[in-house]
């Protein structure tokens, strides 16, 4: 039997220690090679998928009012790339402005702000008819009224979009700041020939307009509301009412704002009378 302090026992301990270290190193090397291979495969797959998204033909517009494209992985890839390019351009612009000599910075405000991008949107009703696309409040119990989704944004008439996007009736904010938000809805009431005048007037003619914003928080947040109660004379065959409201609110990037109304059957989407918009103040 060898003594604990003998040379052979010390040599055995050293060999065991070296074997343990080599075994751990070998295991770590195998694990590293495995995860490196898996990560490379995932990167190659994602890269090929991303390239395929840009190579295939896509006629979709950023301002389409549907939810189908929002669920498309390619749409998200393009959206992220667009956001990244926008941030890089903004950073480059700010760095360029900061390097301008003081004499040039003392020039009139109109010259300095000439390159600044305007952030504004004005979207209008689609037709003078009352038939329009509205989403009932039953889809979201936290939203009152019916959400208007059929706004016109393709620069027909008075509508336009500058650095804001429209999707499913919602304006999507691209830049954090204080915005003036406004909306007007136009209501047209006409007596139904098949229903008696007395019975028709007994119906609820309360008209309310709501403006909501949605954030990362799951429930929409009510920003403004305005209401009118109709009171037509006995001899009137029709009635016209409009509700307008506006206010300044702080909005963050990717926030969305939209309009909903009650008594949607009375809504008239005439482009000069029903509209919705916002613009950046600071």
């Amino acid at each position: 039997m060898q003594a604990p302090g003998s040379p052979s026992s010390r040599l055995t301990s050293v060999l065991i220690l070296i074997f343990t270290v080599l075994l751990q190193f070998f295991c770590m090397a195998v694990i590293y090679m495995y995860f490196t291979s898996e990560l490379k495969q995932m990167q190659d797959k994602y890269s090929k998928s991303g390239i395929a998204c840009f190579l295939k033909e896509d006629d979709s517009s950023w301002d389409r009012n549907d939810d189908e494209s929002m669920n498309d992985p390619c749409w998200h890839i393009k959206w992220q790339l667009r956001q990244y390019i926008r941030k890089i351009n903004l950073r480059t612009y700010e760095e360029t402005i900061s390097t301008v000599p003081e004499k040039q910075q003392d020039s009139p405000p109109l010259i300095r702000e000439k390159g600044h991008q305007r952030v504004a949107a004005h979207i209008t009703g689609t037709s003078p008819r009352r038939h329009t696309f509205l989403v009932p409040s039953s889809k979201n119990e936290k939203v009152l009224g019916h959400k208007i989704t059929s706004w016109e944004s393709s620069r027909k008439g008075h509508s336009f979009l500058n650095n804001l996007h429209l999707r499913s009736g919602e304006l999507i904010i691209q830049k954090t700041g204080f915005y003036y938000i406004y909306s007007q809805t136009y209501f047209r009431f006409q007596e139904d020939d098949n229903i008696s005048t007395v019975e028709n007037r007994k119906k609820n003619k309360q008209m309310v307009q709501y403006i909501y914003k949605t954030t990362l928080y799951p429930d929409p947040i009510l920003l403004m509301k305005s209401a009118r109660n109709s009171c037509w004379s006995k001899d009137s065959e029709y009635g016209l009412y409009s509700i307008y409201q506006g206010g300044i609110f702080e909005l963050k990037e990717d926030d969305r704002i939209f309009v909903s109304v009650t008594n949607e059957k009375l809504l008239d989407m005439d482009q000069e009378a029903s509209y919705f918009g916002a613009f950046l103040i600071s």
Side-chain angles (χ1 to χ4, degrees):
M1 184 174 180
Q2 298 178 353
S6 63
S8 59
S9 63
R10 286 197 298 269
L11 180 60
T12 303
S13 300
V14 171
L15 291 176
I16 292 174
L17 179 62
I18 293 174
F19 176 76
T20 304
V21 172
L22 290 176
L23 181 61
Q24 291 180 350
F25 178 78
F26 176 76
C27 292
M28 291 177 62
V30 171
I31 294 173
Y32 174 78
M33 292 176 63
Y34 173 76
F35 282 107
T36 301
S37 176
E38 290 294 321
L39 181 61
K40 187 175 185 304
Q41 291 180 5
M42 291 177 61
Q43 289 177 343
D44 291 343
K45 182 179 179 181
Y46 181 80
S47 176
K48 292 178 181 178
S49 176
I51 293 174
C53 289
F54 290 101
L55 291 179
K56 73 177 185 178
E57 295 183 0
D58 186 5
D59 297 329
S60 62
S61 171
W62 288 100
D63 300 325
R64 283 176 53 190
N65 293 331
D66 55 27
D67 295 325
E68 181 179 354
S69 56
M70 293 186 69
N71 297 325
D72 183 7
C74 289
W75 185 90
H76 287 282
I77 293 175
K78 295 178 182 179
W79 175 268
Q80 292 174 1
L81 178 61
R82 183 186 179 96
Q83 294 292 91
Y84 178 75
I85 294 175
R86 188 179 64 82
K87 290 181 179 179
I88 292 298
N89 290 337
L90 181 60
R91 186 182 305 171
T92 304
Y93 172 76
E94 292 175 348
E95 291 176 354
T96 304
I97 291 298
S98 63
T99 58
V100 175
E102 294 183 358
K103 290 183 179 180
Q104 295 184 16
Q105 292 184 2
D106 293 336
S107 59
L110 291 177
I111 298 178
R112 293 203 312 266
E113 297 178 1
K114 186 176 180 180
H116 184 68
Q117 294 183 341
R118 293 177 298 173
V119 181
H122 181 82
I123 52 181
T124 63
T126 53
S127 69
R129 302 293 181 184
R130 281 181 286 177
H131 302 291
T132 184
F133 297 102
L134 297 107
V135 178
S137 57
S138 59
K139 285 193 174 182
N140 191 330
E141 296 179 355
K142 301 295 183 180
V143 176
L144 301 173
H146 288 66
K147 174 184 170 184
I148 304 176
T149 61
S150 62
W151 297 111
E152 174 61 56
S153 63
S154 58
R155 289 191 177 273
K156 293 180 180 179
H158 309 299
S159 62
F160 66 87
L161 289 170
N162 282 336
N163 297 302
L164 288 169
H165 292 302
L166 176 67
R167 186 166 296 277
S168 298
E170 300 177 345
L171 286 175
I172 305 175
I173 303 302
Q174 302 297 297
K175 183 178 180 181
T176 299
F178 288 92
Y179 287 77
Y180 182 80
I181 307 171
Y182 64 91
S183 179
Q184 176 172 291
T185 45
Y186 185 54
F187 296 89
R188 179 191 297 270
F189 166 74
Q190 191 167 3
E191 295 285 2
D192 193 341
D193 295 334
N194 297 325
I195 303 177
S196 66
T197 303
V198 176
E199 184 180 355
N200 206 7
R201 288 202 178 91
K202 285 182 180 180
K203 291 184 178 180
N204 180 23
K205 296 300 188 299
Q206 186 184 56
M207 297 157 288
V208 187
Q209 175 186 269
Y210 306 93
I211 298 181
Y212 283 91
K213 80 169 180 178
T214 57
T215 63
L216 296 177
Y217 186 73
D219 296 330
I221 300 172
L222 179 62
L223 298 180
M224 292 179 283
K225 68 177 179 179
S226 184
R228 291 288 302 269
N229 240 341
S230 64
C231 184
W232 286 282
S233 64
K234 295 180 180 180
D235 299 329
S236 65
E237 295 181 358
Y238 63 90
L240 303 175
Y241 285 95
S242 62
I243 297 178
Y244 176 89
Q245 58 183 336
I248 299 175
F249 297 89
E250 183 178 12
L251 300 175
K252 297 182 179 180
E253 185 178 355
D254 294 330
D255 283 354
R256 305 188 302 273
I257 54 176
F258 63 90
V259 178
S260 66
V261 295
T262 61
N263 245 317
E264 71 283 355
K265 293 182 179 180
L266 303 181
L267 185 63
D268 192 318
M269 293 296 283
D270 182 84
Q271 65 172 349
E272 286 82 14
S274 293
Y275 49 82
F276 174 39
F279 56 87
L280 179 64
I281 298 177
S282 63

